[in-house]
C-alpha cells in the first residue's frame, strides 16, 4: 500500500502517478484535451480580425457612415481602451462562472458585435457594436494564458506558441483577405465586415462543453506539485506531470500543500459519509474553502516583475498598433504603390505565424527571457532606422524586421505563464499586465498621427517609435528574470 498511496487523506482523489495513470479515463481525457486545443486555436483566430478587417475597409466605412477624421482617429484607439477596461474583469468572471464559460461568452459577444456593426446605420451604433466585439476579445485575451497554464502546465511554451501562431494568422489573414473578399462578394463593405462573424460563431462550439466547468484555476497545478493526480474526467492537463515552474521541489509549497490536505481531510470524510443534499453541501463548502486557501489576496502591485511585465506589454502593444495603423501609410508616402504597401503590411503581420510558435518554446527553455526581448528590440530599431533613411529602397527588409519585432507579444504571453506559480496567480498577473499595458498603449497611435499631421513628415513619428523601443528592451530584461509574482508580493 505504501508504494501505491502517496497520501491517506482521500484514497479517491490522491494516488501515485502510476496508479492514477492506470485508473484514469484516458479516452475521455484525450477527447477533452483535443477539444480544448481546438477551442484555443479557434478563439485565437478571432482575437484580431475585428480590428484588422476594419482597418482594411476604414475609408469605405467612413464614407458609408459619414464618419469624420477625428472620429476615425478615435476608432483606432478603441481596441486598447476596451482591452484595458474589460480585461480587468476577466479573473472575477472566471472565478464566478468558470474560464470556459467566460471564453464561450466572449466568442458569442464577438459574433454578435461583428454581425451587428456593419448594419448599425450610424457612427455611435457602429462604435457600440465594435465595443461589444472588443469586450469579448478583451476577456478572452486575459484568460487564454490561464487556460493554457491550467490544462497544459508542462507545455506552456508550446501551447502558448500554438495560440500565438493562430492569433498572428488571424491578424494577417484579415488584413490581406478582407478587401479581395469584399470585392468577390459584390463590393459591399458591410458584407465584407459581417462575413468575419462566421469564424467567430464557429469558435463558440468547442467551448460549449466547458460552460458548466467552474473548477478553481490552479488546483491541478498544486496537486501535481504535491505528487497528487486528481482523477477528474478528462481534465488532467498533461497526465499528471508536474507544472513547469510550479511548486514541485519547493519545500515551502509542499508544506503548504500538506497543511491544506490535512485541513481538508475532515471535510472529505464527512462528504464521503453523507449523501444527497448533505454531500452537495459538503462539496460546496470544500469548494469555498479551496477558493479561500488557493486564491489568497495577491497584492500584485507590490511585485516589480508584474510592473515590468505590464510596461513591456504596453510598449509592445503600442508598437503593434502603430504598425497596424500607420506602416502602410509610411510606405505609400515614400512612393510605394498602395497595393504593394498593403502586401508589405501583410508580410509584417504574417511573420508572427512561425515565430509565435518558435519564440515561446525557446523562452521556456531559458532561465532568463531577457536576451529574447533584446534581440526583438534590436530588430525593431533596425526596422525603424530603415524606414527613416530608405523607406522605399529596403521596404521588404524593413517589413520583415518589424514583423520580427512585433513578436514581443507571444513572448509577453509566455512570460505571464512563467512568472506566476499557480493558475490563480497567472489569472491576476494576466489581467494586471494586459489591462495596465493596454492603458499605456492608448495614446501611441493618436500621438503618431498628431506628430505626422503637424510636422508634415515621418521623421518625428519614427523618432518617437525608436525612443519607445529602448525602454521596451529594458523592461523586457527585468520581466524576463526567473522570479514569481507570488514571492515578490509576499515580501
Amino acid at each position: 500500500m505504501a508504494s501505491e498511496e502517496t497520501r491517506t487523506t482521500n484514497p479517491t482523489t490522491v494516488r501515485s502517478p502510476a496508479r492514477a495513470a492506470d485508473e484514469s479515463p484516458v479516452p475521455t481525457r484525450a477527447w477533452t484535451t483535443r477539444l480544448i486545443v481546438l477551442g484555443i486555436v479557434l478563439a485565437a483566430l478571432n482575437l484580431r480580425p475585428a480590428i484588422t478587417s476594419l482597418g482594411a475597409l476604414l475609408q469605405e466605412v467612413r464614407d458609408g457612415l459619414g464618419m469624420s477624421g477625428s472620429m476615425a482617429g478615435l476608432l483606432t484607439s478603441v481596441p486598447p481602451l476596451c482591452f484595458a477596461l474589460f480585461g480587468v474583469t476577466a479573473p472575477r468572471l472566471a472565478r464566478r462562472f468558470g474560464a470556459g464559460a467566460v471564453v464561450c461568452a466572449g466568442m458569442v459577444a464577438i459574433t454578435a458585435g461583428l454581425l451587428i456593426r456593419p448594419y448599425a446605420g450610424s457612427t455611435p451604433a457602429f462604435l457600440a457594436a465594435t465595443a461589444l466585439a472588443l469586450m469579448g476579445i478583451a476577456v478572452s485575451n486575459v484568460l487564454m494564458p490561464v487556460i493554457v497554464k491550467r490544462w497544459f502546465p508542462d507545455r506552456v511554451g508550446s501551447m502558448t506558441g500554438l495560440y500565438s501562431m493562430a492569433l498572428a494568422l488571424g491578424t494577417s489573414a484579415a488584413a490581406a483577405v478582407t478587401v479581395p473578399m469584399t470585392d468577390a462578394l459584390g463590393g459591399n463593405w458591410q458584407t465584407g465586415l459581417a462575413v468575419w462573424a462566421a469564424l467567430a460563431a464557429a469558435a463558440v462550439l468547442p467551448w460549449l462543453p466547458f460552460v458548466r466547468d467552474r473548477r478553481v484555476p490552479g488546483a491541478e497545478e498544486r496537486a501535481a506539485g504535491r505528487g497528487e493526480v486528481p482523477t477528474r474526467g478528462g481534465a488532467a492537463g498533461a497526465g499528471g506531470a508536474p507544472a513547469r515552474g510550479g511548486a514541485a521541489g519547493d519545500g515551502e509549497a509542499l508544506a503548504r500543500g500538506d497543511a491544506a490536505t490535512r485541513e481538508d481531510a475532515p471535510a472529505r470524510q464527512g462528504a464521503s459519509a453523507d449523501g444527497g443534499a448533505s454531500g452537495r453541501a459538503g462539496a460546496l463548502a470544500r469548494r469555498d474553502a479551496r477558493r479561500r486557501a488557493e486564491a489568497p489576496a495577491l497584492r500584485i502591485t507590490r511585485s516589480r516583475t508584474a510592473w515590468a511585465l505590464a510596461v513591456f506589454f504596453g510598449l509592445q502593444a503600442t508598437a503593434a498598433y502603430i504598425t497596424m495603423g500607420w506602416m502602410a501609410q509610411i510606405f505609400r508616402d515614400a512612393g510605394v504603390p498602395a497595393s504593394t504597401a498593403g502586401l508589405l503590411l501583410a508580410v509584417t503581420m504574417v511573420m508572427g505565424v512561425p515565430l509565435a510558435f518558435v519564440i515561446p518554446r525557446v523562452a521556456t527553455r531559458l532561465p532568463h527571457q531577457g536576451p529574447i526581448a533584446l534581440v526583438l528590440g534590436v530588430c525593431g530599431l533596425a526596422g525603424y532606422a530603415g524606414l527613416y533613411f530608405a523607406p522605399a529602397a529596403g521596404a521588404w527588409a524593413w517589413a520583415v524586421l518589424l514583423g520580427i519585432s512585433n513578436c514581443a507579444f507571444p513572448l509577453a504571453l509566455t512570460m505571464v505563464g512563467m512568472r506566476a506559480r499557480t493558475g490563480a496567480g497567472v489569472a491576476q498577473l494576466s489581467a494586471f499586465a494586459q489591462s495596465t499595458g493596454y492603458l499605456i498603449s492608448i495614446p501611441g497611435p493618436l500621438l503618431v498621427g498628431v506628430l505626422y499631421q503637424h510636422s508634415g513628415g515621418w521623421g518625428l513619428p519614427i523618432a518617437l517609435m525608436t525612443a519607445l523601443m529602448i525602454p521596451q528592451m529594458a523592461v523586457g530584461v527585468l520581466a524576463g528574470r526567473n522570479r514569481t509574482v507570488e514571492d515578490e508580493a509576499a515580501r
Side-chain angles (χ1 to χ4, degrees):
M1 285 297 290
S3 63
E4 292 180 352
E5 301 289 338
T6 59
R7 302 283 191 277
T8 59
T9 54
N10 188 355
T12 301
T13 58
V14 185
R15 291 174 170 84
S16 66
R19 179 171 177 177
D22 292 338
E23 298 180 3
S24 60
V26 176
T28 303
R29 177 187 300 168
W31 177 83
T32 307
T33 302
R34 293 190 187 102
L35 194 60
I36 277 287
V37 172
L38 178 62
I40 289 173
V41 170
L42 286 177
L45 286 172
N46 282 280
L47 295 183
R48 292 298 179 270
I51 302 170
T52 51
S53 64
L54 176 60
L57 294 174
L58 183 58
Q59 187 59 52
E60 289 78 4
V61 172
R62 289 182 58 190
D63 294 341
L65 296 177
M67 189 182 297
S68 65
S70 59
M71 187 61 67
L74 175 63
L75 192 59
T76 62
S77 292
V78 168
L81 177 61
C82 288
F83 293 165
L85 293 179
F86 297 123
V88 73
T89 66
R92 182 177 300 176
L93 292 173
R95 285 194 297 269
R96 181 169 182 179
F97 301 106
V102 176
V103 173
C104 185
M107 295 300 109
V108 171
I110 295 172
T111 303
L114 293 181
L115 195 59
I116 293 171
R117 74 174 181 178
Y119 307 102
S122 66
T123 297
F126 187 92
L127 286 172
T130 300
L132 175 62
L134 293 171
M135 178 177 64
I137 294 173
V139 295
S140 301
N141 267 339
V142 172
L143 292 179
M144 281 296 107
V146 179
I147 291 171
V148 167
K149 178 82 169 181
R150 174 178 172 182
W151 286 86
F152 307 96
D154 62 336
R155 287 177 282 171
V156 171
S158 59
M159 289 305 302
T160 301
L162 180 64
Y163 153 68
S164 301
M165 185 171 63
L167 189 149
L169 182 61
T171 303
S172 57
V177 173
T178 298
V179 173
M181 186 167 55
T182 301
D183 295 337
L185 294 173
N188 190 325
W189 66 267
Q190 294 172 312
T191 305
L193 290 181
V195 72
W196 291 101
L199 182 61
V204 175
L205 302 178
W207 293 101
L208 291 176
F210 303 98
V211 167
R212 303 178 74 96
D213 181 8
R214 300 186 181 182
R215 283 185 292 268
V216 181
E220 294 82 3
E221 293 94 306
R222 273 179 292 277
R226 296 194 297 267
E228 304 168 4
V229 182
T231 58
R232 52 186 173 84
R244 185 185 305 272
D250 190 328
E252 182 181 354
L254 287 170
R256 288 197 299 268
D258 292 339
T261 302
R262 289 193 298 270
E263 291 170 2
D264 287 347
R268 286 195 297 269
Q269 293 169 357
S272 300
D274 296 335
S278 62
R280 288 191 295 272
L284 291 174
R286 291 195 307 275
R287 185 188 68 184
D288 292 338
R290 283 197 304 270
R291 285 181 176 177
R292 289 191 297 269
E294 294 169 356
L298 180 62
R299 300 178 66 177
I300 197 75
T301 55
R302 297 181 62 178
S303 169
R304 294 182 179 179
T305 299
W307 279 108
L309 193 52
V311 176
F312 179 75
F313 196 97
L315 292 176
Q316 68 81 26
T318 299
Y321 283 110
I322 290 173
T323 299
M324 285 188 286
W326 294 107
M327 195 181 79
Q329 190 64 49
I330 293 175
F331 286 129
R332 293 181 66 175
D333 288 351
V336 176
S339 58
T340 305
L343 187 58
L344 287 166
L345 178 59
V347 167
T348 299
M349 297 294 103
V350 83
M351 286 298 299
V353 175
L355 292 179
F357 189 74
V358 172
I359 288 176
R361 293 176 65 89
V362 174
T364 55
R365 286 165 170 78
L366 296 177
H368 194 309
Q369 292 74 45
I372 302 178
L374 291 176
V375 171
L376 298 179
V378 169
C379 289
L381 292 176
Y384 293 143
L387 288 180
Y388 183 86
F389 291 107
W396 294 101
W398 317 143
V400 169
L401 286 170
L402 292 175
I404 296 173
S405 178
N406 279 347
C407 288
F409 178 70
L411 175 61
L413 291 182
T414 304
M415 289 194 292
V416 166
M418 298 180 70
R419 296 287 87 86
R421 183 182 297 113
T422 65
V426 172
Q428 285 189 262
L429 178 58
S430 180
F432 175 75
Q434 295 200 41
S435 298
T436 304
Y438 282 125
L439 282 175
I440 293 172
S441 70
I442 290 172
L446 289 176
L447 185 56
V448 167
V450 170
L451 291 176
Y452 172 60
Q453 181 177 353
H454 284 80
S455 66
W458 286 105
L460 286 179
I462 292 175
L464 172 66
M465 291 183 263
T466 303
L468 291 176
M469 187 59 68
I470 304 299
Q472 177 180 322
M473 296 165 66
V475 294
V477 172
L478 294 177
R481 295 175 297 177
N482 188 17
R483 302 182 180 184
T484 63
V485 293
E486 289 92 346
D487 292 339
E488 292 185 343
R491 293 174 183 171

